[in-house]
Amino acid sequence: MLISVVIPAYNVSSSIERTIKSISIDKKKTTNYNLEIIIVDDGSNDHFALTKIIKKYRKINFIVHSHNKGMCAARNTGIKNSKGEVVIILDADDVFVPGWFDMFKKIYSEWPKSSQVCFSQCKNQLGNLTAENPNFKGFLKLKDILNEKNSGEYLPIFRGQYIRKKLYTDIGTKKSCGIISYVKFAHDSGPFWVSDKILRIYYENQIGSVTNEWTSEKKARETVLCYQNLFKKYGNLYLSLAPTVFKLNKLKLAVYMRLSKQKGYWKVFLEGASLKKWKETLVVGLMLLSGIKVSSMIAKLAKKFRFVRRYG
């Protein structure tokens, strides 16, 4: 069996070698398994430094975008060039855990053939697990995803033929708007399988990361586009299966609109306001009245102290 590891890379010459080294495995343990690594340079400013590192590893399939297209575009380029029966998406500033291959074989043996998508657990660089319910193992259904049940930061693993046909939904943003793709996958192809085994160490709050400084005007604007596209494609689905989460996400959208200095955030706020979630409604209303700097500070504190989801 061939396993493809797809790594989108953008300005990661300082971390990419650590990522590559974490993928190496003992050839004596790979009977009946082969491994291909595909790295996609997404128009990096440090292209020459990145190339110098990757040239040290002969078997890497190195693909270069002429300009920065964004994470989903880079993932899709790697996926389209993959040949594996299984495709794993690994970020270029993250690593596999030591002994990951033995753990992968256990995950693969448990992964029901009826499921096209598998999520494995992650931990951050401090050793903290990144899933809301790290002990959960089983099927994650469309309704669960919409209601953000058992949410978190996972490592996505796909059946190769499936993901090469489906690909990620690319809305043109630099950071990933993964929720649109995962709702699409679950809606079209059935539930995901979630493993309780850990494969990936997720390095968070890294300088230059697409997820760092998420309250900045530029990144808030991309989050607005993500929510707007999500509601356009699947708003009726949310209203049917997850109306409360739909309302809460409208409140979040209003905050990101405020952070990105866009008009119309009070209209969106009213669409999300509800007596059922009066505390959240009140807090968001106060944030919108307080201005951008205060809103940004409150949003960061809320995530830090887990008043809102930290991952996923």
Side-chain angles (χ1 to χ4, degrees), residues 5 161-162 240:
V5 181
Q161 288 186 342
Y162 170 81
S240 173

Side-chain angles (χ1 to χ4, degrees), residues 93-302:
D93 52 359
D94 296 338
V95 298
F96 281 143
V97 297
W100 77 270
F101 185 69
D102 289 332
M103 193 65 69
F104 167 79
K105 288 192 288 186
K106 292 178 182 177
I107 291 171
Y108 186 74
S109 68
E110 296 172 350
W111 182 7
K113 295 188 184 301
S114 61
S115 178
Q116 302 299 318
V117 183
C118 176
F119 281 164
S120 81
Q121 302 283 353
C122 307
K123 60 183 177 181
N124 67 13
Q125 68 267 38
L126 300 177
N128 300 318
L129 296 173
T130 61
E132 182 183 275
N133 182 4
N135 296 317
F136 175 72
K137 175 181 175 181
F139 284 112
L140 191 67
K141 299 178 181 179
L142 173 62
K143 188 174 182 179
D144 299 328
I145 294 170
L146 295 173
N147 282 284
E148 300 175 356
K149 184 179 179 182
N150 294 312
S151 62
E153 183 67 37
Y154 292 102
L155 177 73
I157 307 169
F158 301 95
R159 309 282 182 191
Q161 288 186 342
Y162 170 81
I163 193 59
R164 281 188 286 273
K165 180 179 178 181
K166 287 287 184 180
L167 299 176
Y168 276 84
T169 299
D170 181 10
I171 62 171
T173 53
K174 301 306 179 187
K175 71 173 189 174
S176 171
C177 183
I179 183 61
I180 295 177
S181 299
Y182 296 127
V183 171
K184 177 184 75 172
F185 297 152
H187 180 262
D188 295 349
S189 310
F192 303 171
W193 177 253
V194 177
S195 171
D196 57 354
K197 295 176 175 58
I198 300 169
L199 276 187
R200 168 192 175 206
I201 299 175
Y202 171 65
Y203 281 80
E204 56 181 310
N205 300 321
Q206 302 297 291
I207 295 174
S209 168
V210 294
T211 57
N212 196 34
E213 293 300 323
W214 55 277
T215 61
S216 68
E217 180 181 343
K218 182 179 178 181
K219 292 186 179 180
R221 188 171 292 275
E222 290 207 328
T223 303
V224 169
L225 284 173
C226 180
Y227 274 119
Q228 288 174 338
N229 277 271
L230 177 66
F231 297 151
K232 182 178 179 180
K233 290 175 181 290
Y234 299 112
N236 289 335
L237 205 57
Y238 270 94
L239 287 171
S240 173
L241 299 176
T244 300
V245 171
F246 180 78
K247 287 271 191 179
L248 289 173
N249 282 338
K250 282 282 186 176
L251 293 178
K252 293 177 187 177
L253 173 57
V255 171
Y256 282 111
M257 291 177 71
R258 185 75 171 98
L259 292 173
S260 58
K261 301 179 181 178
Q262 297 186 54
K263 297 179 180 179
Y265 53 86
W266 281 117
K267 178 178 181 295
V268 174
F269 167 79
L270 292 174
E271 291 171 354
S274 68
L275 289 174
K276 186 175 182 180
K277 291 292 180 179
W278 67 269
K279 291 181 181 178
E280 291 86 347
T281 300
L282 178 61
V283 170
V284 169
L286 292 173
M287 288 173 71
L288 297 180
L289 287 169
S290 300
I292 293 174
K293 288 185 178 180
V294 174
S295 294
S296 177
M297 181 184 68
I298 294 173
K300 289 177 180 178
L301 289 172

